[in-house]
Amino acid sequence: MPESRPYHHGDLRSALLDSAERTLREKGVGSLSLRELARETGVSHAAPGRHFKDKQALLDALALAGYDRLAEVLAAAYDPALPLQPRLTALARAYLAFATENAELLALMYARKHEPEAAEQMAAGVDRSVGSLGRVIADAQRHGEVVEGDPERLTLFMGATLHGIAALTAGGLLDADEAFGMTEDLIHHLLHGLKPR
Amino acid sequence: MPESRPYHHGDLRSALLDSAERTLREKGVGSLSLRELARETGVSHAAPGRHFKDKQALLDALALAGYDRLAEVLAAAYDPALPLQPRLTALARAYLAFATENAELLALMYARKHEPEAAEQMAAGVDRSVGSLGRVIADAQRHGEVVEGDPERLTLFMGATLHGIAALTAGGLLDADEAFGMTEDLIHHLLHGLKPR
DNA sequence: ACCTGAACACCGTTCAAGT
DNA sequence: ACCTGAACACCGTTCAAGT
């Protein structure tokens, strides 16, 4: 740790990302400016330009990091020892928790990005997260606990439902506690359908 | 139609909204500026301030109009003469079409707004749209075509699923044609569930 | 290789003054 | 009642120059 403010920051890139993530969480994307970020990090306003080609590149990097964390959270919540229904409930709750705790970040993750190479990595990030769901479906199909059919479609059906409540909750249209409270019910309907048996 | 450019515009408010909606669709929220809007409308840069307290107020107005149009689209797609499954498929397709044709607007509609009074109207807009779904569920329950239980929860389950694919598609994470192609399947799973019968 | 300072072309918002 | 023009405090981005 150098005594005051050295000419070279050392790890400006990750310092900017950390600062940006905090601002995003506390004040929203609208209040995120490169100049303000530079000020907080004690660096000139032009310095961020060395590490991020433009503002969108920084936002893309934030979103990408978000996908990494989401994939971790889901992987951690995936417990193959659990029966199907609680296994899915745990995954749903994990996603919901991530969505409510990172509402602004989630919006960034699912926004249309402009930089084409970032979009590619974004898709890969989605795949990694959807992977946890896909494993559950494929595994359950093998045990005859889930209907036969294209596992990708089944996974997408399930993913869409989870993403739906998560997005509605993150957007403030659904109360977080309410969403958590109905997760079990939701998974039940997902498994048993709306039609009476 | 006055000959050149009169001092008073006449209906500046709706002219600004029209222009904003076009810009939103063609270039995205990022490229939407009040000054540019004023220029396009042939008015001074300070004029919009008379009709919208700030930029967010204009965005809120756009989102609100979006809810109106979505409610219309859904109401038009709601055909009580159809059997349950095609009735739901039609609603899902209508929402999906709206989402793909108004991707940027949809993001605005489901974003956290700051002006508290707008948030209230926003919630009302959601209710109106969800209303179409709620009617289908309540009606189907009466005919024994859908399981018993809190109709609001069932509606929300269904709404979350539809919103999920729509949001993923609007966000570019799911190809629009692919999403349309799997709509029928999706509704099938919604009705019959993932568990084998 | 990394950062600064000045410069450029934009913003949103406010407010006296004009019609 | 509605709009203008100037002013203010911000932006993002670029680029020569400094370390």
Side-chain angles (χ1 to χ4, degrees):
Chain A
M1 208 194 286
E3 43 175 320
S4 66
R5 219 166 271 175
Y7 192 86
H8 287 75
H9 182 280
D11 197 359
L12 182 54
R13 195 191 136 92
S14 56
L16 287 170
L17 283 176
D18 285 356
S19 185
E21 222 232 288
R22 220 180 39 248
T23 306
L24 187 65
R25 184 188 316 281
E26 289 169 7
K27 307 189 197 168
V29 225
S31 313
L32 199 137
S33 99
L34 291 179
R35 286 178 105 110
E36 173 77 22
L37 243 41
R39 252 174 261 132
E40 277 175 17
T41 320
V43 98
S44 91
H45 66 257
R50 280 285 132 190
H51 301 275
F52 301 100
K53 120 177 203 298
D54 55 22
K55 193 180 180 179
Q56 187 59 51
L58 182 139
L59 296 180
D60 287 352
L62 278 178
L64 244 21
Y67 277 114
D68 286 344
R69 278 169 43 209
L70 176 57
E72 275 173 37
V73 161
L74 291 182
Y78 175 51
D79 183 354
L82 254 35
L84 182 59
Q85 187 152 347
R87 210 184 328 161
L88 290 176
T89 304
L91 277 178
R93 290 230 167 93
Y95 188 25
L96 203 49
F98 180 88
T100 55
E101 284 159 22
N102 304 275
E104 289 276 350
L105 180 60
L106 199 77
L108 223 57
M109 287 164 59
Y110 289 99
R112 291 176 175 287
K113 298 290 147 205
H114 306 110
E115 332 270 357
E117 50 132 88
E120 240 177 88
Q121 294 179 267
M122 225 66 80
V126 176
D127 284 348
R128 241 171 323 139
S129 294
V130 164
S132 295
L133 285 186
R135 259 175 287 151
V136 182
I137 295 289
D139 185 66
Q141 274 187 322
R142 236 176 288 121
H143 290 77
E145 291 181 301
V146 157
V147 290
E148 294 179 20
D150 180 4
E152 283 208 23
R153 288 220 164 176
L154 296 178
T155 303
L156 195 63
F157 165 54
M158 171 136 193
T161 307
L162 298 194
H163 182 61
I165 17 149
L168 290 175
T169 307
L173 272 66
L174 196 59
D175 181 69
D177 291 335
E178 218 177 316
F180 270 99
M182 67 175 32
T183 305
E184 206 138 18
D185 244 49
L186 211 81
I187 298 295
H188 176 88
H189 292 315
L190 212 47
L191 290 174
H192 296 89
L194 290 180
K195 279 225 163 203
R197 305 228 166 194
Chain B
M1 207 196 285
E3 44 175 318
S4 67
R5 220 166 269 177
Y7 193 84
H8 288 76
H9 182 281
D11 197 0
L12 182 54
R13 196 190 135 90
S14 56
L16 288 170
L17 283 175
D18 285 356
S19 186
E21 222 233 286
R22 220 180 39 248
T23 307
L24 187 65
R25 183 187 317 281
E26 289 168 9
K27 307 189 197 167
V29 225
S31 313
L32 199 134
S33 100
L34 291 179
R35 286 178 105 110
E36 173 77 22
L37 243 41
R39 251 174 262 131
E40 277 174 16
T41 320
V43 98
S44 92
H45 66 258
R50 282 284 130 191
H51 300 275
F52 302 99
K53 122 176 201 298
D54 55 21
K55 194 180 180 178
Q56 187 59 51
L58 182 137
L59 295 181
D60 288 352
L62 278 178
L64 245 19
Y67 278 115
D68 286 344
R69 278 168 42 208
L70 177 57
E72 275 173 35
V73 161
L74 291 182
Y78 175 51
D79 183 353
L82 254 34
L84 183 59
Q85 185 151 347
R87 209 182 331 160
L88 289 176
T89 304
L91 277 178
R93 291 230 166 93
Y95 187 24
L96 203 50
F98 180 87
T100 55
E101 285 159 22
N102 304 275
E104 290 276 349
L105 180 59
L106 199 77
L108 223 56
M109 288 164 59
Y110 289 100
R112 290 175 176 288
K113 297 293 147 204
H114 305 109
E115 332 270 358
E117 48 130 88
E120 240 177 88
Q121 295 179 265
M122 225 67 81
V126 176
D127 285 348
R128 241 173 320 140
S129 295
V130 165
S132 296
L133 284 187
R135 258 176 287 151
V136 182
I137 295 290
D139 185 66
Q141 274 187 321
R142 236 176 287 121
H143 291 76
E145 290 182 302
V146 156
V147 290
E148 294 178 20
D150 180 4
E152 282 206 24
R153 288 220 165 176
L154 296 177
T155 303
L156 196 63
F157 164 54
M158 172 136 191
T161 308
L162 298 194
H163 182 61
I165 17 148
L168 291 175
T169 307
L173 272 64
L174 196 60
D175 182 69
D177 291 334
E178 217 177 315
F180 269 100
M182 67 174 33
T183 305
E184 207 138 20
D185 244 49
L186 211 80
I187 298 294
H188 176 89
H189 292 316
L190 213 46
L191 289 174
H192 297 89
L194 290 180
K195 279 222 162 205
R197 305 229 164 194

